Structure formats: structure tokens, C-alpha cells
Amino acid sequence: MFDFILRPFHQKLTGFSLLRFKHYHVHQVMLPYSGFLLSVIPIYLLFGLLDYQHLTEHAWVATLSRVFLSILCIVVLITLRRYASKYLELAELFLVLTVYMSIITIGKLAMTQGNFDYQSGGVLVMVYIGALSRMPFKLSLFGLSLMLLSYLLVIAPDRIGQDYGEELDRISIFFAVFLISLVASLRRDSETRKSFQQFSQIRSQQLRLRASQKKLALQTVTDPLTELKNRLYLTKNGPQIEQSAQHTNKPLSVLMIDIDNFKSINDTYGHQVGDNVIYGVAQIIRQHCGRYTGMNVRYGGEEFLSVFQCFNEQQLCQIAEKILDDVPKLYWPNTNLRVTISIGASIDVKQRWDLNELVSHGDKALYLAKQNGKNQIQLITQ
């Protein structure tokens, strides 16, 4: 009969899943519903008006107890909600038991004064656990069991001696409320676990979707052959590069790099070798420029662009010379191929922080390098 309710408990949570469930229970269940604990405070205080009717003396003690415990509930709840929400479950159990024990104590006090009709208010606390509380099943079972046991040990013996038949009716009602609240708590825990499973599935789908979107966004700004950035990335991030250089008051500089005689390489050795050459040159550029910039771009078919915001003329030329020296060292199996490059360097010594203008000057420098015989570096400052 209870298989539908107990089914979620058959899949025991362990390790990281258990930690996630606890976090979910605190932040998605306990915190949103913790305000319901305050909703019973006015009812609890309202019963204080009856203390003066049923207690012939010391009614003020019961009233002060109700007020003190109500203030305690409010202070503890607000404090834990803000600073230690992970203890809300235990705090609610403690506060509920404290309120229940105060009702038992007031009922016991009434019996010492000859009033045996003021001992049933505790059943409302049991109803609260079944209807409004969001405590886990184990804590609800512990709380309900302790409440029932307290009534049977503290109140029931005296009332049985007073009116045996009526007290049996009261005890049967307490047992019925105990069982109903217990089943309600069990079903609530079952629904919480199912909600957690649905939440986890949705969360996993969201994370996969986010990862796919991130991968797709990266692919749109990445050149698939060289794995360098593409022109779209340069267009999107160029203004940020300018602002960053201006903020740090550092000059911008660029290297425009072009593979010499690339059309001849394609025509002689085929496009597969041509692609391998492009990839190999890109890795040399990444090797020497990667630590200094995240803006290594495949600017055109066999043309590359690197943007820096930390180099002076000497440093820029040193990087360019390393690239120029290492590219011819690349080995191409089964060919007599020797690849060279030409480099146009440009630096914004006047610090205008205009990347488009700087790239234009780098392109002019590259044109001069080609005109003057290739396999060399030309520098233009602006």
C-alpha cells in the first residue's frame, strides 16, 4: 500500500548527491516555508487568554512562558534564516518540541489545580507537523513520537484516574493524529525527493545547454584549422583591447604575419600540405605570442595578426625575430619545402589607442617587407 510513497527511499542518496539533496532541502524547502512556523505563534498566544479561565492561580506564569517562547521562536528563526540556514531543520524541531512541552507543562499545572479539561492543546502541534512543517521524515517521526510519549507519561496517568473512559477517547485521538501526521510527513518527504530528482534533471539539462552554448559561442570566434581566433573575435573584442590599453596607459602594438609564396605552395604540393603549413605557422605564433596576448588571429587565408599592449619597439621586434627564425625550421615530410614568412610590425608610440589605424600601419609594414624581398621584418611607428 505504501510502495508508491516509499519508492523514492529505495534509491538511497550517497556522497555528493546527498550533499546536494541537503542543500536543496534547506534552500528550496525549509527557507521558503520557514515563515509558516511564525504563523502558529498568534494561535499559540491566543490560547493564553484561556489560561486565566482554566488556571485559578499562576496564570501569569503560563502567559509569560507563552510570550517568552514566542519571542524565542521569532528571534531564532530570523537569525537562522539569515546566518545559519542549514540548522533550520533542527531549530524547528527544537522550537516545536519546546512549545509542545510548554503546553504539557501548563496542562499539568491545571491538573494540580483540579482542572482536567485543559490538556488537549498539544494535538494541534502534532497537526502542525503533519500539515505545515517541512522537516524531514526522521525528525518528524522523532518529534511526533516524543510528543505522544510525553502525553502518555505526563498527562494520561492522572486523567485516567479522573475519567477512564473519556481519557481512552483522548488517547485514541492522539494516536490517530500521530498516525495521520506521520503519514503526511512521509508523503511530504517522498514528494520532496521526487522534486529534488526533477530539479536535478532540469539543472543537468541547463548545465548541458549552457556548455553547448558556450562551446558554440567559442566556435563562432575560433578558426577551425589553426584554433586561433578569427576576424569576428577581433571585431567584437577590439574596443575592449583599446580601452584596456588606455586604462593601463600602455601602447598598443601589432604583428601582421604572412606566409611567403603560399599560392605556389598550394599549387606545387596541394591544399593538404598548404593547410599543414598554415597550421604549423599558427603554432609557432601561439608558442611565442601566447604568453603575452590572447589576441592571436587568423586574419586572412595565410595571414595572421597578433595584438599586444605591453611591448616597446625592441621587445616587439624580438618576438617577431623569434617567429621569423623558427618558421623555416618546420619540417615537412616527403617534400623539399622550406617555408618563410614576412612580418609587418607597428607600435602606437603616440598612444592614440586606435586599433584599426594600428592594423592599417601593420599592413603597410607587411607590404614593405614583401616588396623588399620577403622573409624579413619591417616596422612602422605612429
Side-chain angles (χ1 to χ4, degrees):
M1 183 176 80
F2 295 105
D3 184 60
F4 175 75
I5 297 177
L6 295 173
R7 192 179 302 148
F9 295 93
H10 296 164
Q11 299 176 349
K12 189 173 181 180
L13 298 173
T14 57
F16 183 66
S17 295
L18 180 60
L19 293 177
R20 288 182 60 196
F21 176 74
K22 289 181 177 179
H23 184 273
Y24 172 84
H25 192 265
V26 169
H27 293 277
Q28 302 296 328
V29 179
M30 291 302 299
L31 275 174
Y33 287 93
S34 58
F36 283 108
L37 183 58
L38 293 177
S39 69
V40 301
I41 298 299
I43 301 174
Y44 177 64
L45 290 174
L46 188 62
F47 273 88
L49 298 176
L50 301 178
D51 292 342
Y52 290 90
Q53 178 181 349
H54 293 276
L55 298 177
T56 56
E57 56 182 280
H58 303 305
W60 63 274
V61 175
T63 300
L64 286 179
S65 298
R66 290 181 186 273
V67 172
F68 171 76
L69 290 175
S70 298
I71 294 174
L72 176 65
C73 286
I74 295 172
V75 171
V76 169
L77 180 62
I78 293 176
T79 302
L80 291 180
R81 276 171 62 99
R82 178 170 297 184
Y83 300 108
S85 55
K86 65 180 180 179
Y87 297 115
L88 274 173
E89 299 170 355
L90 294 176
E92 184 177 3
L93 176 65
F94 171 76
L95 294 175
V96 167
L97 288 178
T98 301
V99 169
Y100 182 85
M101 293 308 172
S102 76
I103 294 175
I104 291 291
T105 302
I106 293 172
K108 184 71 172 179
L109 180 61
M111 288 192 297
T112 62
Q113 299 178 22
N115 191 319
F116 290 85
D117 300 317
Y118 200 43
Q119 291 78 39
S120 302
V123 74
L124 296 176
V125 183
M126 300 175 72
V127 170
Y128 163 81
I129 290 181
L132 295 179
S133 172
R134 288 298 182 271
M135 288 188 298
F137 173 73
K138 290 182 179 179
L139 292 184
S140 298
L141 173 61
F142 175 78
L144 289 168
S145 301
L146 189 58
M147 291 176 187
L148 181 62
L149 186 63
S150 299
Y151 182 86
L152 294 176
L153 294 178
V154 178
I155 301 296
D158 291 341
R159 285 192 53 81
I160 288 176
Q162 178 68 22
D163 191 333
Y164 179 79
E166 182 179 354
E167 182 56 19
L168 284 182
D169 288 340
R170 286 175 179 263
I171 291 175
S172 65
I173 291 174
F174 263 86
F175 266 108
V177 172
F178 169 81
L179 291 175
I180 292 172
S181 299
L182 195 62
V183 172
S185 300
L186 183 61
R187 190 180 77 169
R188 182 178 64 234
D189 224 26
S190 172
E191 292 173 348
T192 299
R193 287 174 178 260
K194 290 177 183 176
S195 298
F196 169 69
Q197 291 174 356
Q198 294 173 354
F199 173 84
S200 298
Q201 291 173 356
I202 294 173
R203 179 63 176 165
S204 296
Q205 292 172 355
Q206 290 175 336
L207 290 176
R208 287 196 295 269
L209 178 60
R210 190 177 302 171
S212 298
Q213 291 173 336
K214 186 176 180 181
K215 183 178 180 181
L216 180 61
L218 184 61
Q219 288 176 344
T220 60
V221 295
T222 303
D223 176 62
L225 174 60
T226 63
E227 299 178 357
L228 299 181
K229 299 297 187 288
N230 58 21
R231 290 283 290 272
L232 178 60
Y233 181 87
L234 176 65
T235 302
K236 286 184 174 181
N237 293 274
Q240 297 178 11
I241 293 290
E242 294 172 346
Q243 292 173 7
S244 177
Q246 188 172 4
H247 179 71
T248 56
N249 197 33
K250 292 180 179 179
L252 284 171
S253 57
V254 300
L255 293 179
M256 294 289 294
I257 304 168
D258 187 82
I259 301 174
D260 295 332
N261 306 312
F262 183 73
K263 184 178 183 303
S264 175
I265 294 174
N266 269 341
D267 293 342
T268 304
Y269 299 101
H271 290 281
Q272 183 61 55
V273 173
D275 286 347
N276 291 339
V277 169
I278 290 174
Y279 179 80
V281 172
Q283 302 317 302
I284 296 293
I285 294 171
R286 187 198 304 275
Q287 175 185 343
H288 291 292
C289 301
R291 74 184 70 177
Y292 305 111
T293 179
M295 185 70 83
N296 291 311
V297 176
R298 185 180 179 187
Y299 197 72
E302 68 275 11
E303 192 172 10
F304 304 90
L305 169 69
S306 293
V307 182
F308 310 92
Q309 39 177 316
C310 55
F311 287 158
N312 56 35
E313 293 181 29
Q314 181 181 359
Q315 293 169 325
L316 185 65
C317 289
Q318 285 177 348
I319 294 294
E321 288 170 1
K322 290 179 181 178
I323 298 172
L324 192 73
D325 291 342
D326 282 355
V327 167
K329 298 176 183 178
L330 291 172
Y331 172 68
W332 312 103
N334 304 319
T335 69
N336 298 323
L337 181 60
R338 179 177 182 272
V339 177
T340 63
I341 58 173
S342 297
I343 301 178
S346 180
I347 186 167
D348 180 20
V349 293
K350 296 181 180 179
Q351 296 188 354
R352 294 173 180 159
W353 298 293
D354 187 334
L355 186 56
N356 287 331
E357 184 179 357
L358 190 61
V359 171
S360 178
H361 282 79
D363 203 40
K364 292 177 182 178
L366 177 61
Y367 178 77
L368 290 176
K370 293 283 189 181
Q371 262 195 336
N372 292 338
K374 304 177 182 178
N375 193 24
Q376 60 181 272
I377 303 166
Q378 289 292 329
L379 173 68
I380 293 180
T381 59
Q382 58 166 324

